[in-house]
Structures are given as structure tokens and as C-alpha cells.
Amino acid sequence: MSADAVTAAVPTAGRATPASLLAGPPSVITAGIDLLADALRAQAVTVTTVDFRPPVDDPAGTAAALATVLADPRREAANATAVGRMLAVRAHLVDVLPASEALGMRPGEFYHAGPPITWDRASGPLRGALIGAMLFEGLASTADEAEAKLAAGEGISFSPCHEHHTVGPMAGLVSPSMWMYKLQDSATGAVSYCSLNEGLGKVLRYGAYSDEVIERLRWMSAVLGPALQKAVRLMVAAGEPMDITALVGQMVQMGDEGHNRNRAGSAMFLRDISPWLIRAELPAKDTADVFAFIGGNEHFFLNLVMPCGKLMGDAAANVPGSTVVTALCRNGTDFGIRVSGTGDQWFTGPAGIPVGLFLAGFTQDDANPDIGDSAITETVGIGGMSMATAPAIVRFVGGAVPDALAVTRRMYEITLAENPAFAIPILEFRGAPTGIDVTRVLRTGVLPQINTGMAGKVAGTGQVGAGLVNPPMECFTAAIAALADRVPQSSEPVTIS
């Protein structure tokens, strides 16, 4: 058959005119496996490939639930509302105070990272942090005594930080005597809390509880917390509360992604708090020690990024019909997510073990499954979601610079918005990918990217490395099933206020 014989009817003014499909070079688009594309390229044919994956349908019924949610007439407006609230948050540091005062915590009460868990299922680092908190609070004199009391559970309770407008890195342990940052959204008055950052290595949040860990915590409660309280209250009294949202935006443009790299943020915090620490007229040694501690801890600002993210996630919560993720977190055993349209309900799956780089003397075999509330940073578009802005992070968590760029570009596929407040210079100041959408995760098969520290799986070990990890897909399949159950039977559109 000649080329002229291969024709198609092309509409023109009032009539159909035969047109040859082979009159020019063929344009071929392929999807799926590469067999056809490779064969065509071997014949010098230009091929455009489409990275298409069928929607997730494991367990069975997931695709049907996804279709139900996609057809929900509330979804588009609900997501616009949820994302709009998330982007509108302006977080300010308004106080520093003990958890007993801030959160009404009583002796024997502890908060932890991730979704709910019981002692018998708790991971090594979470158990280690609970043991350390018992020693710090004077509820036990030895690790063995602390462990026995925790196992017995008498007079002891623990619950997720997220259920108290609080977040905590790694094990996330909060006890009554620990000092907390208090952040507030200037428009709504909503508040969030986070503990003070201890530094890296052998620290409580990584499950260590040696004497040096407990002594550091005691110094933080006796000196660091009160010093920061005086400085922050002076700032607030002067009408100049620290704008944490603005600092996060600046650090993102200075090479930090806000989760595992916080150098610029920590330096700017020290710059801004310094005059007020001086005005607080602390004893000279205390002032020097506070300056040295903050200046020597490049992760210090993480514990302010996190409650900023918590305010943003909480602002987006409880919008009926919304498929926006409002929390990503891990307790060292389970990974948990929350979704706007299902309120405070948890959707969990097994926490994965991060893959990355290790401190001297440790290997992958020493690593515990993922742990911490610090994935609140990824929930709101920074951290692993914005690795492109922090190419140096690959020297800490593994990978190569092109990988960091590719990760962030991929994250735009599963998010609903771009946050202009967190602009990424290397992507022509494109806003951070914000508003993880459960339906987009399931339609693409792309999971949020998290970069994280790694805790040793044996209680008391501390940090063993840092790396990359993803949530389990089970969280999202469970969430879509719950969202589908909430879709109204009526086809009438529902107004979202």
C-alpha cells in the first residue's frame, strides 16, 4: 500500500478532505512498557513516552473507592479551602514555657511522636526515650526501674504529640518538666508547641538515656528554657515577636530544606534572638553557655520549623470532602497519616527503614524503622519534598544532586499547590510543592519523599545515621476507603465554608 493510500477524513469548510497520515515524519506517543518505544527508536523514529501507571488497586476495592472520592462534588472546593488555610498561616514565636504549664501535663504523663502505640509494641528508641524521661522526671532512679514501671503502666500514660497540638522530633518525648516553644498563627490565634532541640548524637530523642543525656536535659530546663523565655517575652512585649514563617522562607532560599538541613535557619535564629538575650540580663556564664549551645547546634531551628508546620497542617484539618494530608508521622513501629476530610482519624502502616549514610561504626543493620513527627515538614511541602533547594543535603542523607532536583519535580505530581512563601531558587523560585493529595498519590503511585535521621534500634544507642524513606502505601489506601465512606449519597453539591 502506498503512503498516499493511507488517509483520514479531515473536516474542512462543509466537506471532508482526505489527508495522508504518512505525508510527514510520524509522531508517536507510547505508554506502558518500553517494547514498542525501543523498536521504533531502533528505526530512527522519534518517540515521546508518557510515564503512565494505572491507579493503585491493592487491596482490591481501592480503585473503586478512588473513583467514588474523585466523583465527590465537594472535593474541589474542599481542597481549595484546606490548601488555602494551610498557605495562609503566619506563625510567630510567642512564648517558651514548661510543658506542665503550656500543656497541663502531670507527673507520669508523656507525649510521643507518631500515631498511638502501646509499650509492648514500642520500638527501641521510643522505649529508650521513655526510660530517659522517667529518669529525668525523677520517677525512677535506674533504667531497670524505669523500664519495669513503664511495662506495668501504673500511674503512667503516653499519647501522641499530635493529639495535643504538639510535635516532637524522632521519639518526640515530651514530659512535664521539659520546656516548649509556643507558636501562634497571627490571624486565627491557633497555637502549636514543640520541645527544645538537644543537638545530634547521643540525645533523648534518638533513644539515648546515659548520664550525659539526662544532665543536658536538666541544664536545658534550668538555664536554656528560662533564658529563651525571658528573651522571647521581651520581644513580644516590644511588639516584635519572631516571625517563624518568614525565617523558614528565608532558609529555604539559603540552602536549607527545613528537616535535615537547618544551618541557615539556626544562624538566623541566633542572630535575631541575640539582642534580646543580652537585654534579659542573665548571669554572664549562662549567657555565654546559651550562645555556645545554640551556635554549636545546626539543627536548633528544626524545633521551630516543626511547630510552624503543625500550625499549617492543623489549619487545613476538618474540611469535609478534602483529600489533603494534614499530618505525616512515625513512632518507630508504625507510620501514620491524617487527612483533612477524616479529621483526627489515623491511617497507619509499617514504618520503613531509611536508606542512607551511617555514622562511623554503624550499618543498615543497626537502624530502627523510621521515627518522629519531623515529617510534618514534608506534610507542608519542605523537607524531602523540597530537596532541590538544598542540594548539599545529599552529603548527609545519600544520593546525588540531580536526585534532589528530580525528587522535588516529582513531588509536584502529588500536591495541589505551590507555596510562594517557600520559594525554591534553583527551580526559578517556584513555590514549594504543598498540599499532598491522597487521590494523586493513588493515581500516580508516587509517595511523598522524606529525609530523616536514623535512630539505633537498640534502646540507648542514639543516632546512627541519616537517609531517605517513604510512607507505606497502606496509609493512603486506608485513607481513600474512609474518605469514600464519607461521600454523601446525594449528588447535590455541598457548599464548603
Side-chain angles (χ1 to χ4, degrees):
M1 180 182 294
S2 68
D4 290 339
V6 182
T7 60
V10 178
T12 59
R15 62 189 181 87
T17 302
S20 173
L21 292 179
L22 301 181
S27 297
V28 182
I29 299 175
T30 66
I33 61 175
D34 294 330
L35 184 62
L36 175 60
D38 291 344
L40 291 169
R41 289 193 182 102
Q43 300 175 64
V45 175
T46 301
V47 179
T48 300
T49 57
V50 177
D51 185 15
F52 170 78
R53 303 180 186 89
V56 173
D57 194 28
D58 182 15
T62 298
L66 174 60
T68 298
V69 173
L70 289 173
D72 185 349
R74 306 171 301 167
R75 183 174 59 89
E76 186 173 345
N79 282 341
T81 297
V83 171
R85 292 175 182 174
M86 184 179 284
L87 297 180
V89 168
R90 198 77 186 190
H92 289 87
L93 175 59
V94 296
D95 207 352
V96 182
L97 64 173
S100 58
E101 182 180 344
L103 300 165
M105 295 185 75
R106 300 181 299 275
E109 189 173 7
F110 303 100
Y111 300 159
H112 63 82
I117 195 167
T118 54
W119 171 260
D120 60 297
R121 296 186 64 246
S123 64
L126 180 52
R127 288 189 175 207
L130 282 163
I131 290 169
M134 290 281 288
L135 297 172
F136 169 64
E137 292 290 344
L139 299 176
S141 56
T142 67
D144 289 342
E145 181 188 357
E147 188 168 4
K149 287 184 174 181
L150 287 163
E154 295 181 11
I156 304 294
S157 68
F158 42 96
S159 57
C161 288
H162 268 289
E163 296 182 356
H164 305 277
H165 301 289
T166 301
V167 280
M170 300 308 292
L173 242 292
V174 176
S175 67
S177 300
M178 293 180 184
W179 284 64
M180 311 290 289
Y181 293 118
K182 178 181 179 180
L183 270 61
Q184 186 172 50
D185 178 18
S186 55
T188 66
V191 296
S192 65
Y193 301 89
C194 187
S195 57
L196 311 183
N197 193 284
E198 309 160 78
L200 295 176
K202 277 192 170 292
V203 289
L204 185 80
R205 72 178 187 276
Y206 279 99
Y209 53 82
S210 62
D211 289 346
E212 65 177 294
V213 173
I214 306 306
E215 285 305 310
R216 186 188 303 113
L217 289 172
R218 288 175 178 153
W219 175 83
M220 291 172 70
S221 289
V223 178
L224 180 63
L228 290 173
Q229 181 187 74
K230 290 180 180 179
V232 168
R233 289 183 175 181
L234 284 171
M235 295 177 77
V236 172
E240 301 179 30
M242 190 177 295
D243 189 335
I244 302 301
T245 300
L247 288 180
V248 174
Q250 291 176 55
M251 70 188 282
V252 167
Q253 295 189 35
M254 296 169 67
D256 286 353
E257 38 68 71
H259 190 163
N260 268 298
R261 185 178 171 89
N262 293 276
R263 289 184 177 184
S266 299
M268 288 189 291
F269 175 81
L270 183 56
R271 175 200 67 190
D272 291 353
I273 200 76
S274 293
W276 304 96
L277 284 170
I278 299 299
R279 292 186 180 113
E281 299 181 344
L282 305 168
K285 184 180 185 307
D286 289 351
T287 302
D289 289 345
V290 168
F291 270 80
F293 185 79
I294 298 173
N297 180 3
E298 294 177 347
H299 272 339
F300 195 79
F301 195 66
L302 169 64
N303 291 46
L304 285 159
V305 179
M306 288 176 58
C308 176
K310 176 61 173 169
L311 277 176
M312 295 173 69
D314 282 358
N318 299 303
V319 180
S322 174
T323 57
V324 172
V325 175
T326 58
L328 299 168
C329 59
R330 321 77 102 205
N331 57 32
T333 302
D334 304 318
F335 198 113
I337 74 170
R338 281 175 162 179
V339 180
S340 177
T342 54
D344 294 338
Q345 186 174 355
W346 289 104
F347 305 102
T348 63
I353 298 179
V355 176
L357 303 178
F358 292 87
L359 302 178
F362 295 109
T363 68
Q364 190 80 38
D365 291 338
D366 298 304
N368 193 77
D370 198 19
I371 188 170
D373 286 336
S374 52
I376 193 67
T377 57
E378 282 83 8
T379 308
V380 299
I382 49 178
M385 303 285 284
S386 290
M387 283 179 64
T389 203
I393 195 70
V394 300
R395 301 195 68 178
F396 188 60
V397 300
V401 171
D403 299 332
L405 297 173
V407 163
T408 298
R409 290 191 176 104
R410 190 161 61 249
M411 294 301 100
Y412 289 106
E413 297 180 30
I414 60 171
T415 49
L416 295 167
E418 300 176 14
N419 190 347
F422 304 154
I424 301 174
I426 193 66
L427 299 182
E428 300 295 338
F429 293 91
R430 190 175 181 182
T434 306
I436 298 168
D437 180 8
V438 172
T439 68
R440 293 193 178 197
V441 170
L442 294 171
R443 291 174 73 181
T444 63
V446 174
L447 290 163
Q449 183 66 69
I450 297 168
N451 58 38
T452 182
M454 283 187 270
K457 63 186 179 184
V458 176
T461 301
Q463 185 178 13
V464 300
L468 302 172
V469 73
N470 302 105
M473 187 61 79
E474 292 96 316
C475 296
F476 297 90
T477 56
I480 203 70
L483 287 163
D485 287 342
R486 294 180 181 228
V487 174
Q489 297 300 310
S490 170
S491 60
E492 293 298 318
V494 178
T495 300
I496 305 296
S497 59

PDB file of all heavy atoms in Angstrom, residues 48 60 71 80 97 106 130 149 216 243 265 279 303 347 358 402-403:
ATOM      1  N   THR A  48       7.776   9.896  21.945  1.00  0.00           N
ATOM      2  CA  THR A  48       7.522  10.572  23.214  1.00  0.00           C
ATOM      3  C   THR A  48       6.886   9.567  24.161  1.00  0.00           C
ATOM      4  O   THR A  48       5.831   9.005  23.850  1.00  0.00           O
ATOM      5  CB  THR A  48       6.574  11.771  23.031  1.00  0.00           C
ATOM      6  OG1 THR A  48       7.176  12.707  22.131  1.00  0.00           O
ATOM      7  CG2 THR A  48       6.304  12.453  24.371  1.00  0.00           C
ATOM      8  N   ALA A  60      -7.884  -4.905  46.904  1.00  0.00           N
ATOM      9  CA  ALA A  60      -8.982  -4.809  45.956  1.00  0.00           C
ATOM     10  C   ALA A  60     -10.058  -3.870  46.493  1.00  0.00           C
ATOM     11  O   ALA A  60     -10.372  -3.871  47.682  1.00  0.00           O
ATOM     12  CB  ALA A  60      -9.565  -6.198  45.704  1.00  0.00           C
ATOM     13  N   ALA A  71     -15.314  11.522  42.317  1.00  0.00           N
ATOM     14  CA  ALA A  71     -16.630  11.997  41.877  1.00  0.00           C
ATOM     15  C   ALA A  71     -17.357  12.816  42.945  1.00  0.00           C
ATOM     16  O   ALA A  71     -18.444  13.337  42.688  1.00  0.00           O
ATOM     17  CB  ALA A  71     -17.497  10.809  41.465  1.00  0.00           C
ATOM     18  N   ALA A  80      -9.552  23.286  47.882  1.00  0.00           N
ATOM     19  CA  ALA A  80      -9.158  24.695  47.759  1.00  0.00           C
ATOM     20  C   ALA A  80      -9.202  25.376  49.122  1.00  0.00           C
ATOM     21  O   ALA A  80      -8.321  26.176  49.470  1.00  0.00           O
ATOM     22  CB  ALA A  80     -10.067  25.412  46.762  1.00  0.00           C
ATOM     23  N   LEU A  97       7.948  27.966  77.565  1.00  0.00           N
ATOM     24  CA  LEU A  97       7.491  27.660  78.906  1.00  0.00           C
ATOM     25  C   LEU A  97       7.469  26.145  79.131  1.00  0.00           C
ATOM     26  O   LEU A  97       7.498  25.378  78.168  1.00  0.00           O
ATOM     27  CB  LEU A  97       6.121  28.264  79.182  1.00  0.00           C
ATOM     28  CG  LEU A  97       4.899  27.809  78.377  1.00  0.00           C
ATOM     29  CD1 LEU A  97       3.628  28.439  78.979  1.00  0.00           C
ATOM     30  CD2 LEU A  97       4.970  28.207  76.914  1.00  0.00           C
ATOM     31  N   ARG A 106       0.838  16.357  83.719  1.00  0.00           N
ATOM     32  CA  ARG A 106       1.022  15.959  85.117  1.00  0.00           C
ATOM     33  C   ARG A 106       2.127  14.905  85.223  1.00  0.00           C
ATOM     34  O   ARG A 106       2.455  14.244  84.230  1.00  0.00           O
ATOM     35  CB  ARG A 106      -0.287  15.404  85.673  1.00  0.00           C
ATOM     36  CG  ARG A 106      -1.455  16.379  85.638  1.00  0.00           C
ATOM     37  CD  ARG A 106      -2.722  15.756  86.223  1.00  0.00           C
ATOM     38  NE  ARG A 106      -3.127  14.582  85.474  1.00  0.00           N
ATOM     39  CZ  ARG A 106      -3.873  14.615  84.375  1.00  0.00           C
ATOM     40  NH1 ARG A 106      -4.285  15.777  83.885  1.00  0.00           N
ATOM     41  NH2 ARG A 106      -4.209  13.497  83.762  1.00  0.00           N
ATOM     42  N   LEU A 130      11.543   6.981  76.563  1.00  0.00           N
ATOM     43  CA  LEU A 130      10.642   6.918  77.712  1.00  0.00           C
ATOM     44  C   LEU A 130      11.411   6.618  79.000  1.00  0.00           C
ATOM     45  O   LEU A 130      11.134   7.215  80.052  1.00  0.00           O
ATOM     46  CB  LEU A 130       9.578   5.845  77.476  1.00  0.00           C
ATOM     47  CG  LEU A 130       8.435   6.239  76.535  1.00  0.00           C
ATOM     48  CD1 LEU A 130       7.690   5.005  76.045  1.00  0.00           C
ATOM     49  CD2 LEU A 130       7.472   7.205  77.229  1.00  0.00           C
ATOM     50  N   LYS A 149       8.510   0.039  85.538  1.00  0.00           N
ATOM     51  CA  LYS A 149       7.338   0.877  85.789  1.00  0.00           C
ATOM     52  C   LYS A 149       6.581   1.175  84.496  1.00  0.00           C
ATOM     53  O   LYS A 149       5.337   1.200  84.474  1.00  0.00           O
ATOM     54  CB  LYS A 149       7.761   2.180  86.458  1.00  0.00           C
ATOM     55  CG  LYS A 149       8.180   2.006  87.913  1.00  0.00           C
ATOM     56  CD  LYS A 149       8.500   3.344  88.565  1.00  0.00           C
ATOM     57  CE  LYS A 149       8.787   3.171  90.061  1.00  0.00           C
ATOM     58  NZ  LYS A 149       9.083   4.453  90.722  1.00  0.00           N
ATOM     59  N   ARG A 216      22.217  17.047  80.332  1.00  0.00           N
ATOM     60  CA  ARG A 216      21.917  18.066  79.322  1.00  0.00           C
ATOM     61  C   ARG A 216      20.470  18.522  79.429  1.00  0.00           C
ATOM     62  O   ARG A 216      20.162  19.722  79.362  1.00  0.00           O
ATOM     63  CB  ARG A 216      22.198  17.541  77.920  1.00  0.00           C
ATOM     64  CG  ARG A 216      22.038  18.608  76.826  1.00  0.00           C
ATOM     65  CD  ARG A 216      22.127  18.019  75.429  1.00  0.00           C
ATOM     66  NE  ARG A 216      23.382  17.314  75.216  1.00  0.00           N
ATOM     67  CZ  ARG A 216      23.490  15.995  75.046  1.00  0.00           C
ATOM     68  NH1 ARG A 216      22.403  15.229  75.064  1.00  0.00           N
ATOM     69  NH2 ARG A 216      24.652  15.435  74.855  1.00  0.00           N
ATOM     70  N   ASP A 243       9.001  36.154  63.593  1.00  0.00           N
ATOM     71  CA  ASP A 243       8.180  35.626  62.502  1.00  0.00           C
ATOM     72  C   ASP A 243       8.832  34.351  61.975  1.00  0.00           C
ATOM     73  O   ASP A 243       9.752  34.401  61.156  1.00  0.00           O
ATOM     74  CB  ASP A 243       8.048  36.678  61.395  1.00  0.00           C
ATOM     75  CG  ASP A 243       7.043  36.285  60.323  1.00  0.00           C
ATOM     76  OD1 ASP A 243       6.795  35.080  60.142  1.00  0.00           O
ATOM     77  OD2 ASP A 243       6.527  37.197  59.636  1.00  0.00           O
ATOM     78  N   GLY A 265      18.740  28.513  59.000  1.00  0.00           N
ATOM     79  CA  GLY A 265      17.676  28.841  59.943  1.00  0.00           C
ATOM     80  C   GLY A 265      18.199  29.006  61.359  1.00  0.00           C
ATOM     81  O   GLY A 265      17.818  29.943  62.065  1.00  0.00           O
ATOM     82  N   ARG A 279      19.600  41.741  76.506  1.00  0.00           N
ATOM     83  CA  ARG A 279      18.705  42.601  77.284  1.00  0.00           C
ATOM     84  C   ARG A 279      18.099  41.862  78.480  1.00  0.00           C
ATOM     85  O   ARG A 279      17.657  42.490  79.444  1.00  0.00           O
ATOM     86  CB  ARG A 279      17.587  43.138  76.393  1.00  0.00           C
ATOM     87  CG  ARG A 279      18.058  44.109  75.328  1.00  0.00           C
ATOM     88  CD  ARG A 279      16.870  44.704  74.579  1.00  0.00           C
ATOM     89  NE  ARG A 279      17.326  45.641  73.562  1.00  0.00           N
ATOM     90  CZ  ARG A 279      17.197  45.442  72.246  1.00  0.00           C
ATOM     91  NH1 ARG A 279      16.625  44.333  71.799  1.00  0.00           N
ATOM     92  NH2 ARG A 279      17.636  46.345  71.385  1.00  0.00           N
ATOM     93  N   ASN A 303      13.279  22.582  65.577  1.00  0.00           N
ATOM     94  CA  ASN A 303      12.182  22.531  66.540  1.00  0.00           C
ATOM     95  C   ASN A 303      11.303  23.771  66.508  1.00  0.00           C
ATOM     96  O   ASN A 303      10.332  23.868  67.257  1.00  0.00           O
ATOM     97  CB  ASN A 303      12.734  22.293  67.941  1.00  0.00           C
ATOM     98  CG  ASN A 303      13.298  20.900  68.103  1.00  0.00           C
ATOM     99  OD1 ASN A 303      14.036  20.417  67.240  1.00  0.00           O
ATOM    100  ND2 ASN A 303      12.972  20.235  69.191  1.00  0.00           N
ATOM    101  N   PHE A 347      -4.506   6.719  59.938  1.00  0.00           N
ATOM    102  CA  PHE A 347      -4.353   5.649  58.956  1.00  0.00           C
ATOM    103  C   PHE A 347      -2.899   5.206  59.011  1.00  0.00           C
ATOM    104  O   PHE A 347      -1.991   6.019  58.795  1.00  0.00           O
ATOM    105  CB  PHE A 347      -4.740   6.135  57.556  1.00  0.00           C
ATOM    106  CG  PHE A 347      -6.118   6.722  57.510  1.00  0.00           C
ATOM    107  CD1 PHE A 347      -6.305   8.099  57.496  1.00  0.00           C
ATOM    108  CD2 PHE A 347      -7.232   5.907  57.523  1.00  0.00           C
ATOM    109  CE1 PHE A 347      -7.571   8.647  57.481  1.00  0.00           C
ATOM    110  CE2 PHE A 347      -8.518   6.442  57.512  1.00  0.00           C
ATOM    111  CZ  PHE A 347      -8.690   7.816  57.490  1.00  0.00           C
ATOM    112  N   PHE A 358      25.702   6.365  57.180  1.00  0.00           N
ATOM    113  CA  PHE A 358      25.778   5.993  58.592  1.00  0.00           C
ATOM    114  C   PHE A 358      26.980   6.619  59.279  1.00  0.00           C
ATOM    115  O   PHE A 358      28.018   6.855  58.653  1.00  0.00           O
ATOM    116  CB  PHE A 358      25.823   4.466  58.731  1.00  0.00           C
ATOM    117  CG  PHE A 358      24.537   3.809  58.317  1.00  0.00           C
ATOM    118  CD1 PHE A 358      24.315   3.468  56.991  1.00  0.00           C
ATOM    119  CD2 PHE A 358      23.539   3.581  59.244  1.00  0.00           C
ATOM    120  CE1 PHE A 358      23.122   2.904  56.596  1.00  0.00           C
ATOM    121  CE2 PHE A 358      22.338   3.019  58.863  1.00  0.00           C
ATOM    122  CZ  PHE A 358      22.125   2.675  57.540  1.00  0.00           C
ATOM    123  N   PRO A 402      21.522  15.665  41.207  1.00  0.00           N
ATOM    124  CA  PRO A 402      20.389  15.501  40.271  1.00  0.00           C
ATOM    125  C   PRO A 402      19.212  14.761  40.886  1.00  0.00           C
ATOM    126  O   PRO A 402      18.056  15.008  40.526  1.00  0.00           O
ATOM    127  CB  PRO A 402      21.009  14.707  39.109  1.00  0.00           C
ATOM    128  CG  PRO A 402      22.460  15.032  39.158  1.00  0.00           C
ATOM    129  CD  PRO A 402      22.777  15.151  40.623  1.00  0.00           C
ATOM    130  N   ASP A 403      19.497  13.849  41.828  1.00  0.00           N
ATOM    131  CA  ASP A 403      18.411  13.138  42.503  1.00  0.00           C
ATOM    132  C   ASP A 403      17.540  14.104  43.296  1.00  0.00           C
ATOM    133  O   ASP A 403      16.300  13.982  43.313  1.00  0.00           O
ATOM    134  CB  ASP A 403      18.966  12.078  43.454  1.00  0.00           C
ATOM    135  CG  ASP A 403      19.791  11.017  42.743  1.00  0.00           C
ATOM    136  OD1 ASP A 403      19.521  10.770  41.553  1.00  0.00           O
ATOM    137  OD2 ASP A 403      20.705  10.446  43.373  1.00  0.00           O
TER     138      ASP A 403
END
